[in-house]
Structure formats: C-alpha cells, structure tokens
C-alpha cells in the first residue's frame, strides 16, 4: 500500500517521510485550540480579578478545592465516584506531556488528530504512529488498522504503549458512536495499551442530533482500569487566555503510580496553575447557572454556524463529515484539485496559505493534524464567523437567528463564494 493510503498502517519509514515533509511549512507545532470568538463571561472575569491579589502560589497538581470541583464535574457525567487521583495543570498539552513521559514507549493517535497531541511525544523523542479512522467519524482509530499498526510497529522493534483518542473530536468535529468507540478501546486494551481519553470537547455536542446530543460515553466507563481522562477547559469552559486542564486517573494501584509520576514531571517543569486561573477553573467546574446557560447558548450558536459552513462546503463541491461537536469541521477539497492546481495549490500547506488569505481567517491544513501533506484537507473554525468585534460576537450569541445577522451572513457567504468559484471552474473544465 502507498504511504499516503489512509488505510495503510504506519511504519517508522512513514514517520521519516513525515519528518521530511515538515520542511514544507511549520507543521511540527500546529495551531492552538480554535478560538471561541466570544467575550469572556463577566462572572469568570470577576473571579479572575478577585484572585489576582493572592500572594501564595498554587500547589503543583492543583489545590484540593479545584480537584474536588473536577471530581464533581466528572461524576455528573457518569464516571464512577471511586476516588481515582485527579491532577490539574496549565493546559492539556502540559498534562499530555507529563503522561507521555510517565508511560514511556511509542504513541498511537488517530489520523487526523488534534494538533497539540503529537508534539508532546516528539519533544520526548518518542515515535508517533497515526492510525486510520473509521469512515463515519474521527477521534478514534479503526480497530483493525490499530491492531495491524501495533503488529507492524512491534515487528520493527517499536514499543507502543499509549493510544490517545477523543470522544468529541477536533479537528473533524465528529462524535464516535458508542459501539465504534468501544471496539477501538477494546482492541487497544487487548494489546496492553494505556488509553488517554481527551474529553476536551464533550460538553460542546451540538443540539438537534439524536444519538449524539444525549448519549456520549467515556472510555473510562468501558475500561476504567486502563483509561486516563484529560479535559482541557479551553474546550467549552474557559477562554484560551486562561489555560487549565485536569486529568482523572484510574482508581487502581497502577493509576496511583501513573499519577505520581505525572505529578513529578509537572512539578519538575514548573507546570503549575496561576492562582487567578485556578480560581476560574474551580468556578466553572462547579457549573453555576451563569456558566451552564452561557455554554448552552455558545454550543447552539457554534452548532448552527458549523452546519451552515458544512452546507457551504458541500455546495462548493468539497467533502466533509457533518460536524456534531466543537467549533470546527474538516474539509477535503480534493474534488476541486484541478481548479486549485491552476492557482498553484498542490498540497496542504498551499491550501492553508490560499484559503487563509482568501477567507481572511486561519484555515490550517491537514498536515498540521498528522494527515497526508499531499492531501488537500483543511480545518475550518466557526469562531471567525461570529463577527470581528466584541459587540458583533455578543449579538451573534443572543440572536434568535444568528445566521440572519449581516456580519454572520457575510462571513458564511465568503466561504460559499470562494469554494463556489473553484467548483464553477471545475464544472466548466469538465464540459
């Protein structure tokens, strides 16, 4: 099978090819989490301001009040109340780095995957092996591709120990069906892999989609002894300017040891929450009415915008799975390759440059998410569609029909126009 074949299991030679492709644009460290596009909730800002005068540092791993708030947060989402360890850090990247260091070995990820996963392993000198995802979703590996990748890696002398997956995916904006998630986790557990479940976006599932809006499982409910749950609060709770994340370890002796090693790493690297950020994290994890009401409005808004962007992509001749969560969708523009080639767009970096300029917003190419650099894939985010000023963004949040607002319609129409121009030329070429 060709290296670019999405069903081909990854090998160390593939890793070398990807490393060589990094000269074609800055793909080693990709974009940050998608911007929310909304002003900071006033109640959160007040909590941050109130904690700014605290003279004492936060303890490494988080203060007891924060950890108890995180425990309650997960219990309300169905995780068993056994007292597994919880550790907090300034962002999901810091936690994943600590976990990867603590576990050792090589790392497996679905392809594509969030841009912040792979750099942690690379920084530690670990190999990262992307695994193809099922046709119906992203976020989890196809179980058969996972088993074959593990077999190939071990045959070549590798040591796969960790699988990172997500229950609500960035970059694809999809939610794996429970049976698909179970099969992937079961395959990983059968091979002795530890699973890190990134649940950053689990509270951003769009309303109005039966089967995904009300039923969402965590791998920790399926195989509690083999799963560490990580939630970056920048997903649906805090703005990226207030980086905070929590990890929930298995309530076992192995989970205790893993938590201790991860905490050692966080302490040694100074990855400690600032007091104002810790206060904000504690506040949102308790989920007062102001937080839950704001989150519901924001999720519905981003869902409506993602659906509109998806319609624009399909109308323009592109391909994309329907977005079901988060603030983004993952677009394949290979059907428009002839028109793009005429404009000098031949790979993912070219596509990123072209669309970012034409759309006036960041449009990171698929190569930043571990995808084939030669493929014409890109992630589009909904945050820039909300407006360009705080007043416009607030108006979008409170409007009954945000898609009818002039500033929102203008941004969505820009996506339609750019892709429509390309697809129109493609249809003319086929005549």
């Amino acid at each position: 099978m060709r290296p670019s074949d999405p069903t081909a299991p990854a090998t160390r030679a593939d890793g070398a090819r990807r490393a060589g492709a990094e000269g074609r644009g800055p793909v080693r460290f990709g974009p940050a989490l998608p911007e929310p596009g909304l002003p900071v909730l006033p109640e959160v800002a007040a909590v941050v301001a109130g904690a700014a005068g605290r003279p004492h540092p936060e303890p490494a791993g988080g203060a007891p009040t924060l950890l108890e708030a995180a425990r309650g947060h997960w219990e309300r989402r169905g995780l068993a109340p056994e007292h597994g360890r919880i550790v907090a850090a300034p962002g999901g990247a810091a936690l994943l780095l600590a976990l990867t260091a603590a576990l050792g070995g090589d790392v497996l990820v679905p392809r594509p995957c969030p841009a912040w996963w792979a750099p942690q392993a690379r920084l530690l000198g670990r190999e990262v092996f992307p695994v193809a995802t099922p046709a119906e979703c992203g976020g989890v590996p196809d179980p058969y591709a996972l088993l074959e990748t593990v077999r190939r890696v071990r045959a070549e002398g590798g040591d796969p120990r960790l699988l990172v997956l997500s229950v609500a995916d960035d970059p694809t904006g999809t939610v794996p069906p429970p049976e698909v998630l179970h099969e992937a986790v079961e395959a990983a557990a059968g091979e002795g892999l530890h699973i890190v479940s990134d649940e950053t976006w689990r509270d951003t599932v769009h309303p109005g989609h039966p089967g995904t809006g009300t039923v969402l499982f965590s791998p920790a409910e399926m195989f509690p002894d083999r799963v560490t749950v990580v939630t970056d609060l920048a997903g649906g709770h805090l703005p990226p300017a207030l980086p905070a994340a929590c990890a929930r370890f298995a309530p076992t002796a192995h989970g205790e040891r893993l938590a201790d090693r991860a905490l050692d790493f966080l302490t040694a690297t100074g990855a400690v929450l600032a007091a104002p950020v810790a206060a904000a994290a504690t506040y949102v994890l308790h989920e007062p009415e102001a937080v839950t009401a704001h989150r519901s409005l924001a999720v519905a808004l981003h869902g409506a915008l993602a659906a509109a962007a998806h319609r624009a992509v399909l109308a323009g001749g592109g391909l994309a799975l329907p977005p079901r969560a988060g603030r983004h969708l993952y677009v394949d523009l290979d059907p428009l390759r002839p028109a793009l080639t005429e404009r000098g767009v031949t790979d993912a970096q070219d596509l990123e440059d072209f669309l970012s300029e034409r759309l006036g917003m960041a449009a990171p190419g698929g190569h930043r998410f571990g995808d084939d650099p030669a493929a014409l894939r890109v992630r589009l985010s909904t945050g820039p569609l909300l407006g360009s000023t705080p007043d416009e963004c607030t108006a979008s949040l409170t409007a009954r029909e945000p898609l009818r607002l002039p500033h929102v319609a203008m941004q969505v129409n820009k996506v339609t126009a750019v892709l429509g121009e390309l697809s129109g030329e493609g249809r003319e070429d086929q005549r």
Side-chain angles (χ1 to χ4, degrees), residues 378-401:
V378 65
R379 187 189 73 183
L380 300 181
S381 298
T382 54
L385 305 180
L386 300 180
S388 57
T389 68
D391 287 344
E392 287 183 348
C393 293
T394 300
S396 298
L397 183 66
T398 56
R400 279 190 176 181
E401 298 183 75

Side-chain angles (χ1 to χ4, degrees), residues 4 68 148 254 337 362 396 426:
S4 59
E68 282 305 309
E148 179 61 14
H254 173 70
R337 185 178 287 272
S396 298

Side-chain angles (χ1 to χ4, degrees), residues 294-382:
H294 181 268
R295 185 175 67 218
S296 295
L297 287 174
V299 169
L301 173 60
H302 284 288
L305 291 171
H310 183 247
R311 291 191 294 269
V313 167
L314 298 186
L319 303 173
L321 290 170
R324 295 290 186 251
R327 307 171 187 142
H328 33 263
L329 66 158
Y330 198 63
V331 179
D332 185 348
L333 294 183
D334 195 73
L336 306 181
R337 185 178 287 272
L340 287 165
T341 299
E342 289 183 359
R343 290 164 168 76
V345 177
T346 60
D347 62 15
Q349 182 65 55
D350 290 337
L351 183 61
E352 175 182 311
D353 296 340
F354 175 79
L355 287 181
S356 295
E357 180 180 357
R358 295 296 301 275
L359 297 177
M361 65 186 215
H367 59 307
R368 296 186 182 274
F369 309 102
D371 215 339
D372 180 3
L376 295 178
R377 300 187 188 114
V378 65
R379 187 189 73 183
L380 300 181
S381 298
T382 54

Side-chain angles (χ1 to χ4, degrees), residues 45-62:
V47 169
V48 171
R54 293 182 185 176
H56 303 295
E58 291 290 302

Side-chain angles (χ1 to χ4, degrees), residues 163-425:
L163 168 66
V164 189
L165 52 75
S166 58
V167 299
D169 185 44
D170 165 24
T172 66
T174 58
V175 177
E179 64 276 11
V180 174
L181 178 64
H182 189 278
E183 289 175 359
V185 175
E186 186 175 42
E191 291 298 322
L193 302 179
H194 188 82
I195 297 103
V196 167
S197 176
D198 176 9
E199 303 190 4
T200 294
W201 299 101
R202 71 165 294 156
D203 290 331
T204 67
V205 175
H206 304 158
H209 299 293
T212 62
T214 58
V215 180
L216 190 152
F217 290 101
S218 168
E221 298 177 69
M222 305 172 182
F223 293 86
D225 295 346
R226 303 206 63 87
V227 177
T228 299
V229 177
V230 172
T231 297
D232 191 320
L233 298 181
H237 304 274
L238 288 174
L242 299 172
C246 296
R248 180 188 184 275
F249 293 82
T252 62
H254 173 70
E256 283 285 335
R257 291 192 298 271
L258 182 58
D260 286 339
R261 293 200 298 271
L263 183 56
D264 286 343
F265 194 90
L266 292 170
T267 304
T269 56
V272 179
L273 286 168
V277 177
T282 304
Y283 175 75
V284 299
L285 286 170
H286 279 302
E287 298 183 289
E289 184 178 356
V291 169
T292 57
H294 181 268
R295 185 175 67 218
S296 295
L297 287 174
V299 169
L301 173 60
H302 284 288
L305 291 171
H310 183 247
R311 291 191 294 269
V313 167
L314 298 186
L319 303 173
L321 290 170
R324 295 290 186 251
R327 307 171 187 142
H328 33 263
L329 66 158
Y330 198 63
V331 179
D332 185 348
L333 294 183
D334 195 73
L336 306 181
R337 185 178 287 272
L340 287 165
T341 299
E342 289 183 359
R343 290 164 168 76
V345 177
T346 60
D347 62 15
Q349 182 65 55
D350 290 337
L351 183 61
E352 175 182 311
D353 296 340
F354 175 79
L355 287 181
S356 295
E357 180 180 357
R358 295 296 301 275
L359 297 177
M361 65 186 215
H367 59 307
R368 296 186 182 274
F369 309 102
D371 215 339
D372 180 3
L376 295 178
R377 300 187 188 114
V378 65
R379 187 189 73 183
L380 300 181
S381 298
T382 54
L385 305 180
L386 300 180
S388 57
T389 68
D391 287 344
E392 287 183 348
C393 293
T394 300
S396 298
L397 183 66
T398 56
R400 279 190 176 181
E401 298 183 75
L403 296 178
R404 293 183 177 273
L405 294 175
H407 60 271
V408 173
M410 180 182 69
Q411 293 296 332
V412 174
N413 290 340
K414 187 180 294 186
V415 176
T416 304
V418 169
L419 297 183
E421 178 185 349
L422 296 170
S423 62
E425 290 188 9

